[in-house]
Amino acid sequence: MNALRSWLHLLFMGVTVVPWATAAVLMAPFVSSQRLYSFCIGWVRLQVWAARWMLGIRNEVIGWEHLPVGKNAPAILLAKHQSTWETFCLPVLMPHPLAFVFKKELLYIPFFGWALGSLDMIHIDRAKRAQAFQKVVEQGRRLLAKGTWVIMFPEGTRVERGQRGQYKSGGTRLAVQTGAPVIPIAVTSGRCWPRRAIVKRPGTVVFSIGRPIPSVGRDPDELMREVEAWIEAEMRRLDPEAYTPVAGNSPPGANRDERRAA
């Protein structure tokens, strides 16, 4: 049954993305970036809704109160990355528009990539590291100034449930350069939507939002180690069966905030 539901949801995404992306590309020259973003997030919101009813996947969010308040309050979100699910849900859940930092190869995906390229986000050529980071800083500063939050996955790619990728300091370097606080986010999406899996499982994905970490005057590498420590400890608290327990130890920095269903 899970396989059938998963294929139906995949078909639903494919059928809906073609007209939606085509409309986005056609309207891009004539509407504001904010309106275009809202239109495209409408498709993402539809997929999250469809996944709830077709796949049985629901979201639960911890730590809403940790998000900065204010129309132009800056933030750089650094999230755990286990599957495609968080790339769908975070733009829907967050109260500010999000700008992803992503590799330019995604722009070549038919329809989805074309629509993605029409949005005001940051796509980089990872083969040109120095130029890529300079572009991230320049565009990141501009986006943050107008109230758009920048989101990055510090592990760089999706990692298997219960695994830890190599955390890279690009997000914290951007934070130090711009003075924006860092918001760490733990995500248990691998429970329901495993990495590169066709078949999904019903269940609840938990998004845990950590307290803002000031970046002013910080060393980027040291700041990233703090982000990594919080995310990985929180992952072990949220999804303990995915990790090998260590007798006598409890995860440090556990988030005890109240949960709110999303």
Side-chain angles (χ1 to χ4, degrees), residues 81 103 126 153-159 166-168:
H81 196 18
K103 58 185 180 181
R126 294 199 292 193
F153 299 112
E155 292 165 291
T157 188
R158 293 167 291 177
V159 298
Q166 181 179 359
Y167 281 69
K168 302 175 181 64

Side-chain angles (χ1 to χ4, degrees), residues 118-224:
S118 68
L119 296 173
D120 192 6
M121 296 191 182
I122 308 172
H123 50 87
I124 59 174
D125 183 349
R126 294 199 292 193
K128 301 177 180 179
R129 292 198 170 188
Q131 298 94 318
F133 181 68
Q134 185 60 35
K135 180 178 181 180
V136 170
V137 172
E138 292 174 357
Q139 295 196 23
R141 183 176 286 117
R142 175 182 59 80
L143 289 162
L144 290 166
K146 69 176 189 176
T148 297
W149 290 350
V150 176
I151 179 169
M152 300 177 71
F153 299 112
E155 292 165 291
T157 188
R158 293 167 291 177
V159 298
E160 295 284 354
R161 181 185 178 203
Q163 300 299 312
R164 179 195 303 224
Q166 181 179 359
Y167 281 69
K168 302 175 181 64
S169 62
T172 51
R173 289 168 63 197
L174 174 63
V176 171
Q177 289 269 1
T178 60
V182 166
I183 311 292
I185 302 177
V187 185
T188 65
S189 56
R191 285 175 174 172
C192 303
W193 191 306
R195 174 177 177 256
R196 296 177 180 172
I198 295 295
V199 179
K200 286 77 174 182
R201 298 185 291 267
T204 299
V205 175
V206 179
F207 291 80
S208 182
I209 304 167
R211 299 180 185 277
I213 305 175
S215 64
V216 177
R218 298 290 299 274
D219 174 74
D221 292 328
E222 187 271 333
L223 179 56
M224 181 52 74

